[in-house]
Amino acid sequence: MSDSPNILFINTDQQTWDAISAYGNTWVKTPHIDRLVENGVSFMRSYCTDPVCAPARTSWMTGRYSSETGVPFNGGLLYDDIPDLGQILNAQGFPAYHAGKWHVTDRNVRDSFRCLYFGEREIGAGGAEFYDPATTHAVLDFLSRHEDEQPFYLQVAYVNPHDVCEYEHSHEYKTVPGPDILGFPTLDELPPLPQNFSYDPHEIMVQMAFRRGKKPLIHEPIMTAAADWSQEQWRFLRWQHYRFVEQVDHEIGLILQVLEASPFRDKTLIIFSVDHGEAAGCHQMIQKFTLYEESVRVPFIVASLSDTFGLAKGSRDTTHLVSGIDLLPTVLDYAQIEPTADLPGCSLRPLLEQQPVRWRNSVYLECNVWGRAIVTERYKYITEYYPAADEITVPGPAEERLGREQLFDLKTDPDETRNLADEPAKSVHLLNFRDELLQRESRLSRRPLLEKPAAIMKRWGRLLEEGWRQETTSTLE
């Protein structure tokens, strides 16, 4: 392992995949993430495993899907017998360090990593103005003082731009000043509404129950308030999201500056990614919790400030479909540690080194326990499972329980505005997607959730069952 590189994994929270100026977004300025783009390979078809913080981060750390880890939603509990990346690395003599947000529930980060900064209390969903600079300073101190010649793994987990949630939640019980009151000289300074501001009225029921209407299962107060927003308020939300992205970009720049001047510059591989996106008005939605591109598609960049690793710098891989489950095997590959054979992810190293390799032709996604999606080169298939009474294991495979379906042609309709599921010409596609979904799920290792998350799942399942009954009654009438 002595000839392995140092591995620096920088991640942000809730950053839309294209909120990067190097990708052509003129409404945000990210010079430091742009530097990673220029010095690395950008995987442009990268997806999280589940568009929620704890599920996505647990997948990063275990290399498994959220339905397998015990964390299919925030509030799930990771099974004790599943090792995480820090435990694996440290057990093999490869020092693993952590700084910043963790959010892998029921796993003490200090039992898995050597913590540079985590705070006396767990870093929560907000407070990036305090936590992110503290995280950066801990990393700068490490890079300035670390003298061990042994290679290391260091993950730096920032809160921002997740603080856009705090902006959103501030609308729950009061009116927040809009851009006109705050002194914007012209509304032309605000990003326009997204092309897909409207949404499919025949979405899967899971999406509608969790995130639509006056009493959604998640974040009822803010979703109710947002239903009455003006177009200017939605545009201001997008403006706010970009400002939080710029704040975290500044922190990343400080790390890159010190890394450049450190003795680790030439032997450090940098990985940058995001746990999930922010809808920011797409499909008239806020935050995440959906299977649309704005929530599930994420940046994934592998870079280096030197030419040590043979990266095709400045390149953008638009061919290979990448998933959050690929992080762990990629890190282990560079650390020269063999992963267990049953992990579903793949190391990206052969792609980075332009080596011939058989690669997946689709990625699999989960959301809100019952939601599912398959993404191929061209299409996205979204479906769901009907809830069953008091179930406490994430469902699947079960063809007889499949519910509504959505099918989008991402080549001709990248904004997912036209559901093709009811078109007779697409019936073969639907059959193929159902078959692939069931095959993929047959390979997953699922078991009952632990007590507290099981109670949450049962409560949600009962409410979802009621929604299905009401929908069936309405249709019959």
Side-chain angles (χ1 to χ4, degrees), residues 81-238:
D81 58 350
I82 298 180
D84 62 60
L85 180 56
Q87 293 173 340
I88 296 170
L89 290 171
N90 282 313
Q92 295 295 320
F94 199 104
Y97 297 87
H98 173 89
K101 180 175 179 176
W102 175 234
H103 209 172
V104 176
T105 44
D106 208 36
R107 179 66 55 88
N108 188 334
V109 66
R110 293 179 178 87
D111 293 337
S112 301
F113 290 85
R114 306 178 187 190
C115 282
L116 304 180
Y117 172 70
F118 187 59
E120 184 176 350
R121 298 174 58 189
E122 181 175 350
I123 296 174
E129 185 176 4
F130 171 80
Y131 291 121
D132 285 355
T135 296
T136 299
H137 283 291
V139 174
L140 300 187
D141 183 69
F142 174 84
L143 294 175
S144 301
R145 295 174 178 269
H146 190 68
E147 296 181 350
D148 192 341
E149 294 184 1
Q150 184 178 8
F152 60 82
Y153 169 83
L154 168 58
Q155 60 185 29
V156 185
Y158 286 113
V159 176
N160 259 336
H162 192 285
D163 270 5
V164 72
C165 290
E166 305 311 306
Y167 168 77
E168 291 164 341
H169 287 302
S170 65
H171 288 73
E172 290 180 1
Y173 304 108
K174 61 182 179 180
T175 301
V176 175
D180 50 344
I181 298 176
L182 293 177
F184 274 67
T186 171
L187 293 181
D188 291 341
E189 294 184 25
L190 300 180
L193 283 178
Q195 296 281 345
N196 55 356
F197 182 65
S198 60
Y199 62 92
D200 175 18
H202 300 290
E203 291 176 317
I204 58 173
M205 279 293 294
V206 170
Q207 167 69 9
M208 297 185 71
F210 275 78
R211 301 294 284 165
R212 301 288 185 195
K214 290 296 184 180
K215 290 189 176 183
L217 298 183
I218 299 177
H219 295 158
E220 176 185 340
I222 181 55
M223 296 307 299
T224 300
D228 296 324
W229 280 1
S230 66
Q231 290 191 1
E232 287 72 24
Q233 284 174 295
W234 283 105
R235 293 172 61 192
F236 196 38
L237 167 62
R238 296 178 70 77

Side-chain angles (χ1 to χ4, degrees), residues 199-448:
Y199 62 92
D200 175 18
H202 300 290
E203 291 176 317
I204 58 173
M205 279 293 294
V206 170
Q207 167 69 9
M208 297 185 71
F210 275 78
R211 301 294 284 165
R212 301 288 185 195
K214 290 296 184 180
K215 290 189 176 183
L217 298 183
I218 299 177
H219 295 158
E220 176 185 340
I222 181 55
M223 296 307 299
T224 300
D228 296 324
W229 280 1
S230 66
Q231 290 191 1
E232 287 72 24
Q233 284 174 295
W234 283 105
R235 293 172 61 192
F236 196 38
L237 167 62
R238 296 178 70 77
W239 184 92
Q240 294 280 357
H241 179 237
Y242 293 146
R243 303 295 77 78
F244 289 120
V245 170
E246 290 173 348
Q247 288 181 20
V248 75
D249 180 77
H250 170 75
E251 302 297 332
I252 293 170
L254 295 175
I255 291 179
L256 296 182
Q257 180 180 355
V258 171
L259 178 62
E260 177 76 49
S262 78
F264 312 113
R265 173 187 181 274
D266 293 341
K267 283 203 66 179
T268 298
L269 186 75
I270 306 167
I271 301 174
F272 172 78
S273 194
V274 180
D275 55 356
H276 54 75
E278 157 67 43
C282 295
H283 296 99
Q284 206 163 327
M285 188 56 56
I286 63 169
Q287 298 188 16
K288 50 270 189 180
F289 303 104
T290 83
L291 289 163
Y292 293 123
E293 292 285 278
E294 57 270 12
S295 289
V296 297
R297 190 175 172 188
V298 293
F300 199 112
I301 305 166
V302 181
S304 172
L305 300 182
S306 71
D307 294 323
T308 306
F309 304 100
L311 301 176
K313 290 193 170 184
S315 64
R316 301 181 190 182
D317 186 322
T318 60
T319 303
H320 297 97
L321 290 156
V322 171
S323 169
I325 56 171
D326 298 330
L327 174 71
L328 184 143
T330 299
V331 170
L332 295 185
D333 193 349
Y334 277 101
Q336 300 182 42
I337 296 172
E338 192 71 25
T340 58
D342 62 338
L343 290 179
C346 303
S347 170
L348 300 176
R349 187 171 183 175
L351 302 182
L352 293 166
E353 296 178 351
Q354 298 92 54
Q355 299 296 324
V357 61
R358 290 188 61 184
W359 199 255
R360 64 173 68 94
N361 56 18
S362 65
V363 288
Y364 164 83
L365 302 99
E366 302 169 330
C367 182
N368 296 333
V369 180
W370 295 274
R372 302 287 184 272
I374 298 284
V375 184
T376 64
E377 178 185 4
R378 180 164 182 171
Y379 291 97
K380 178 188 284 183
Y381 170 73
I382 298 175
T383 190
E384 60 193 331
Y385 283 109
Y386 291 97
D390 290 336
E391 64 184 336
I392 58 173
T393 301
V394 177
E399 185 172 11
E400 71 281 1
R401 288 179 59 187
L402 291 179
R404 289 184 176 183
E405 296 174 306
Q406 293 174 279
L407 181 68
F408 298 103
D409 185 336
L410 297 178
K411 182 177 181 179
T412 62
D413 180 26
D415 294 321
E416 299 168 295
T417 61
R418 183 185 173 198
N419 181 8
L420 306 177
D422 291 332
E423 294 192 3
K426 302 299 182 184
S427 59
V428 174
H429 289 79
L430 294 178
L431 288 172
N432 290 337
F433 274 118
R434 289 174 204 145
D435 183 60
E436 179 171 357
L437 175 72
L438 297 171
Q439 286 188 36
R440 276 184 171 271
E441 298 207 306
S442 68
R443 298 193 291 268
L444 300 181
S445 300
R446 292 170 173 162
R447 46 183 155 160

